[in-house]
Amino acid sequence: MENSIENSFAGKWIRSIAMNLRRIALLCIVVAVASSVWALTRKQYWTASAITVVPGGQQSSLGGLAGIAGLAGSLLPDQLSGIGSMMGMESSALDVNLVFQVLTSRTVCERIIFQYDLLADMKVPTMDDALLKFRERASVFLTPESFFVVSMEADSREKAAAIVNDIIEFSNQELSTIITSRARRSRIAAEEFLSAAEESLLIAQDRMENFREETGLLFPEQQGVLSIDLLGTLETELILAEAELAGVSGTMSSSSTVYLEIARRVAFLRNSMLGKAAGDSLSYFPGLDSMPAMLKEYENIAINLETRRAIYLMLRQELESLKLEEAKDSPTLEILVPAVPSALRSYPKRGKLVIQYTAIALFLSLLWIAVITYAKQLMDDETTGPFWNTILRTSRNQLFPRRKRTKTQSRLS
């Protein structure tokens, strides 16, 4: 049994390994040292990852069954909600696909490259080459549960985490500008209408301001009422003064002091009434003769102003409602697990590299010994040895031909 093992290929191979064990160990040590030195000279990279989710993008398998059940019972009025549930599933699937396309879009990648000046870092001449290298370092993975795992490999811990956070932020900014729903289209149209209504309202307010500056009517209704009350008071005072003047005219002469005083008061009250009726530039109360025209103009301006104000407020309220509806329907990314600087580097794994290269060197050395042992076995075999010796001799003569001996060399020999 021992003789058969000794003469077999396995026995000869094991014997050759044992005879060259020192050389194999020395080779493995040299490879380990060389690989460790090589690993120390490599540029280090760190990886940061974040887990994000699209709100409403997760749908369980039971949700689809419930939608099918609701659709099957759609003949009843209270079962029509099943159609809405299935439409909600389709909408959520579209949102997830849209977010994935935006996360991996060229626009977001180019913004990151310009933000961190990666063109010079990657040492590439064009943006297309930079995008290829960037996508080798950055990755976006969609899990079966519709969670997005965004990862980035960079030459520093903080830079990797910052790039991941910026990818998510830039994607949300792009999603906010993409028209994906009727609510967003309506919101954009409402903003345009609101801008026009605001401009129209400002024009009406300027017209009202000019009217008040020209006429002095700040509050026409109140000022008109106060003007009537003032005229009524003046008329009452005038009647009393005239009655008093008529009473003293029978007993006093027109040259007496009391008579003159009452006469002057009657004249003053009469002039005041005439001035208030015609309108006085020094008074805050408009004249009665111009009040109807002023009130007519004021009412037209006020109706125009109130109409534009009502339109503006209605559009403002509608815009706020559309913003709420858009925020509810539009896809956005929410961070579940934020990207933080990692403690351990992702490349190079020096221990792993040393073990890997040492194992490869050991395997190659064992394979080489196996090849040499097999070749020796062929050469020493009585049946195959002469054939392979002839082949080797012929090949040697073909590759390294001997020079023909001259006559002088043959005589000297």
Side-chain angles (χ1 to χ4, degrees):
M1 183 67 179
E2 293 179 358
N3 191 16
S4 62
I5 295 176
E6 184 179 358
N7 294 328
S8 65
F9 170 74
K12 294 179 181 180
W13 181 46
I14 294 173
R15 186 186 299 111
S16 299
I17 292 174
M19 293 174 62
N20 296 279
L21 192 59
R22 182 181 298 175
R23 296 178 181 177
I24 295 173
L26 181 60
L27 175 64
C28 292
I29 292 173
V30 171
V31 171
V33 173
S35 61
S36 61
V37 173
W38 180 82
L40 288 173
T41 60
R42 297 302 92 193
K43 189 175 182 179
Q44 300 180 6
Y45 290 97
W46 283 264
T47 301
S49 300
I51 300 177
T52 62
V53 65
V54 179
Q58 292 74 32
Q59 293 290 340
S60 62
S61 59
L62 294 179
L65 295 177
I68 296 174
L71 184 60
S74 60
L75 295 177
L76 297 176
D78 56 352
Q79 296 294 331
L80 293 176
S81 59
I83 299 177
S85 65
M86 296 189 70
M87 292 177 64
M89 289 180 60
E90 294 177 0
S91 176
S92 63
L94 290 175
D95 291 344
V96 171
N97 292 331
L98 175 64
V99 170
F100 183 80
Q101 294 298 326
V102 171
L103 276 172
T104 57
S105 64
R106 182 187 179 102
T107 304
V108 174
C109 295
E110 286 183 352
R111 289 187 64 182
I112 294 295
I113 290 173
F114 285 125
Q115 178 78 16
Y116 293 92
D117 195 17
L118 297 182
L119 281 172
D121 187 19
M122 296 177 181
K123 298 179 181 179
V124 290
T126 62
M127 178 58 70
D128 293 333
D129 297 330
L131 287 172
L132 292 176
K133 284 195 173 184
F134 178 79
R135 283 167 179 161
E136 291 177 358
R137 299 182 184 180
S139 63
V140 179
F141 177 70
L142 179 61
T143 64
E145 295 81 12
S146 298
F147 292 101
F148 290 96
V149 181
V150 184
S151 301
M152 180 64 196
E153 188 181 64
D155 54 3
S156 68
R157 301 179 178 91
E158 295 77 10
K159 187 176 181 180
I163 289 177
V164 171
N165 293 329
D166 284 342
I167 288 175
I168 299 172
E169 181 181 355
F170 293 161
S171 298
N172 279 330
Q173 292 177 5
E174 290 296 324
L175 288 170
S176 64
T177 60
I178 297 175
I179 301 177
T180 57
S181 62
R182 293 182 179 178
R184 182 162 297 177
R185 294 188 182 94
S186 302
R187 189 261 300 168
I188 295 174
E191 287 180 347
E192 296 176 356
F193 293 150
L194 182 64
S195 178
E198 183 178 5
E199 184 178 356
S200 177
L201 178 61
L202 290 176
I203 294 174
Q205 289 176 343
D206 292 339
R207 185 180 177 187
M208 176 65 76
E209 182 180 1
N210 294 332
F211 172 79
R212 285 174 172 170
E213 289 178 354
E214 293 173 357
T215 61
L217 289 176
L218 300 180
F219 305 99
E221 292 83 0
Q222 290 84 348
Q223 287 177 279
V225 172
L226 292 177
S227 179
I228 296 299
D229 293 340
L230 179 60
L231 287 175
T233 303
L234 289 175
E235 187 175 4
T236 303
E237 293 290 335
L238 178 61
I239 292 173
L240 293 176
E242 288 179 347
E244 186 178 358
L245 181 62
V248 299
S249 62
T251 58
M252 295 182 180
S253 65
S254 60
S255 60
S256 66
T257 305
V258 177
Y259 183 85
L260 292 176
E261 180 180 355
I262 297 174
R264 291 192 185 96
R265 186 169 63 179
V266 169
F268 175 78
L269 290 174
R270 186 177 288 109
N271 292 330
S272 296
M273 286 191 64
L274 292 175
K276 298 302 179 183
D280 190 359
S281 59
L282 299 178
S283 176
Y284 289 102
F285 302 101
L288 289 180
D289 54 352
S290 61
M291 180 64 72
M294 289 183 181
L295 287 178
K296 180 180 179 181
E297 184 179 0
Y298 174 79
E299 288 176 354
N300 292 331
I301 297 175
I303 291 174
N304 189 17
L305 179 61
E306 292 300 325
T307 302
R308 298 186 184 190
R309 181 182 288 114
I311 294 174
Y312 176 79
L313 293 176
M314 180 185 66
L315 290 175
R316 186 67 177 268
Q317 183 179 4
E318 184 66 20
L319 178 61
E320 296 300 328
S321 301
L322 291 174
K323 285 182 178 180
L324 293 176
E325 186 177 354
E326 179 186 358
K328 180 180 67 176
D329 296 339
S330 299
T332 55
L333 279 170
E334 291 189 2
I335 300 176
L336 297 181
V337 180
V340 295
S342 60
L344 301 177
R345 60 179 173 272
S346 59
Y347 178 85
K349 299 291 186 180
R350 293 168 183 166
K352 181 180 179 181
L353 288 175
V354 171
I355 294 174
Q356 182 179 359
Y357 291 154
T358 304
I360 292 174
L362 177 62
F363 173 75
L364 292 177
S365 62
L366 296 179
L367 181 61
W368 177 251
I369 291 175
V371 171
I372 296 298
T373 303
Y374 183 72
K376 286 183 177 180
Q377 186 177 1
L378 290 178
M379 299 296 293
D380 295 338
D381 190 80
E382 296 178 355
T383 58
T384 60
F387 172 76
W388 287 110
N389 287 325
T390 304
I391 294 297
L392 290 175
R393 191 180 303 111
T394 304
S395 300
R396 191 183 301 114
N397 292 333
Q398 291 293 325
L399 294 174
F400 306 102
R402 294 182 180 181
R403 294 181 181 179
K404 294 182 179 181
R405 292 184 177 184
T406 63
K407 295 181 179 180
T408 305
Q409 291 177 345
S410 61
R411 288 176 184 176
L412 290 175
S413 61

